[in-house]
Amino acid sequence: MVVSKKKKKSGNAVVANNRQTLRQCKSSKEPQVQDIEDLFSEDETQKIRASLLKWYGLNRRDLPWREEEEDVEIRVYRVWVSEVMLQQTRVQTVIQYFNRWMSKWPTIHSLAQASLEEVNEMWAGLGYYRRARFLLEGARKIVADRVQFPKTVSQLRNIPGIGDYTAGAIASIALNEAVPVVDGNVIRVIARLKAISANPKDSLTVKKFWKLAAQLVDPFHPGDFNQGLMELGATVCTPTSPSCGTCPVSDQCCALSVSNHDSSVVVTDYPVKVVKAKQRHDFSAVCVVEILGDEEASRGHQINNEFLLVKRPNEGLLAGLWEFPSVSLTGEADLVPRREAIDQYLNKYFGLNPRKTCDIVSRDHVGEYVHVFSHIRLKMYVELLTLHLKGGMNDLVSKRAKETVPWKCVDAEVLSNMGLTSGVRKVIS
């Protein structure tokens, strides 16, 4: 394992260490050192391919989407689903989601018949819900067009939601096409192999990574090679604790060579750390509205309670998902203005007015919860509002035809089994 030998230089100081250091560190291996942004030499390429394929054959993880499948369409579909799920999500988390998904929709044709709500419920908890919507839209397009099933990387790119990475992964793994893949793991491995000092987020640099990955991919075993490269980044060449002593391509790693020759540099200096954009801070008042059944009001104990859920817009953050009624706030807010905002919302969209249509049985501030998205830090003020409707559920249901916000009422059992986002589930708990 490579650890810091002394305090790291700040910013780009390490990354900008001069070419002379790179030449010195590799001079013991080859008399002529190419520019770090040039392609790999033929000898390097062959050694990396052979070493990585051998390592992957011995160390590959046993994952459900890697099971042998003779049917090409099912093979493509399984790889497609797994690769989309794996974006931004840990492997161990994906396994259970993948198995449930394939059990419900074993073919692309069965998925095409699903509704967006069903797909969202199955996806709930994985985050980045646009991925699920694109999977459904892609399946529908393939089935509706009734053309030849996509079997090349160029054909795959025509499917909604399939970009360069997903197309490359499907084509190489499921169709044995010799095309590269570039994700965060691949960028990290190649950045260290070549000691690339450029910003990995820069578009020109990204193109260089694709060019280098295209050179490395094995023409006879592209799927295994690409999976091996990603697996290496996920399990050995990790962001903060790379196990260089067990890495199959450490002999070709320029970052390791630089580190061995310069005590101020460590392998983890590559790729360059890019300053993340500052998260936006949002605030909302969330109201869990519990509606008591008629029997409960008369007998004094809880029976047939239902909870009010509203559906988010079909575009934007968490599109089309169910949540408790909520109102966006401009910033930190005290209890009184939060409740005023919620009361206006409930009256406007559901006619819930304590003076006219309902009685407040109880109203409690439950607490505050911070939910973090990739670019948003959302602070939610949560309260539980228990109501008795003066005209019963019929009054609320009668507004359904007039209502502009999609909504429904569900009991506690249905609520517990719904595919809800992790944020909503934490509100429930």
Side-chain angles (χ1 to χ4, degrees), residues 311 348-349 399-407:
K311 195 174 186 180
K348 176 180 179 180
Y349 292 108
K399 290 188 65 61
R400 191 181 295 266
K402 308 171 188 177
E403 178 50 49
T404 56
V405 175
W407 63 276

Side-chain angles (χ1 to χ4, degrees), residues 83-318:
E83 287 298 333
V84 174
M85 286 185 172
L86 286 166
Q87 294 168 24
Q88 309 291 336
T89 311
R90 294 173 61 86
V91 169
Q92 290 306 313
T93 301
V94 168
I95 291 174
Q96 56 180 323
Y97 279 91
F98 177 83
N99 288 333
R100 287 203 303 265
W101 183 285
M102 298 310 300
S103 177
K104 186 173 182 65
W105 300 302
T107 67
I108 198 168
H109 295 274
S110 59
L111 174 60
Q113 302 304 312
S115 68
L116 179 58
E117 185 169 339
E118 288 177 310
V119 168
N120 280 335
E121 289 195 359
M122 183 67 71
W123 197 270
L126 276 177
Y128 300 90
Y129 290 85
R130 290 177 68 251
R131 297 179 294 165
R133 188 172 79 248
F134 280 139
L135 260 175
L136 177 60
E137 291 176 1
R140 287 174 173 174
K141 177 177 174 57
I142 291 172
V143 172
D145 287 353
R146 297 183 180 180
V147 295
Q148 183 182 16
F149 193 85
K151 293 182 179 178
T152 66
V153 71
S154 58
Q155 292 173 351
L156 286 163
R157 285 197 189 102
N158 293 326
I159 305 302
I162 296 185
D164 291 339
Y165 165 77
T166 308
I170 296 171
S172 61
I173 297 170
L175 301 169
N176 206 41
E177 186 176 357
V179 291
V181 296
V182 173
D183 68 351
N185 287 318
V186 173
I187 285 176
R188 185 165 56 257
V189 172
I190 293 179
R192 290 171 179 173
L193 284 173
K194 297 288 288 177
I196 293 176
S197 60
N199 182 347
K201 300 292 186 181
D202 179 77
S203 59
L204 292 177
T205 307
V206 171
K207 289 180 180 178
K208 291 176 182 176
F209 279 118
W210 276 96
K211 189 175 182 180
L212 289 165
Q215 182 200 8
L216 286 178
V217 64
D218 188 275
F220 303 106
H221 308 283
D224 282 351
F225 181 86
N226 284 337
Q227 289 180 95
L229 199 58
M230 292 185 285
E231 190 112 321
L232 185 71
T235 62
V236 176
C237 193
T238 58
T240 59
S241 302
S243 301
C244 299
T246 61
C247 177
V249 294
S250 59
D251 286 346
Q252 288 76 46
C253 183
C254 194
L256 181 58
S257 295
V258 173
S259 178
N260 289 336
H261 286 77
D262 184 346
S263 61
S264 70
V265 180
V266 290
V267 169
T268 52
D269 290 328
Y270 301 92
V272 181
K273 307 301 186 295
V274 179
V275 178
K276 294 182 178 180
K278 189 176 181 180
Q279 282 186 327
R280 192 178 81 211
H281 286 227
D282 287 356
F283 303 85
S284 70
V286 179
C287 187
V288 179
V289 179
E290 183 181 25
I291 299 173
L292 306 185
D294 291 335
E295 294 182 33
E296 184 173 21
S298 61
R299 299 181 185 179
H301 57 87
Q302 296 184 349
I303 299 175
N304 301 326
N305 294 0
E306 293 198 335
F307 295 88
L308 178 63
L309 295 176
V310 295
K311 195 174 186 180
R312 292 183 63 86
N314 289 326
E315 298 294 333
L317 186 67
L318 304 176

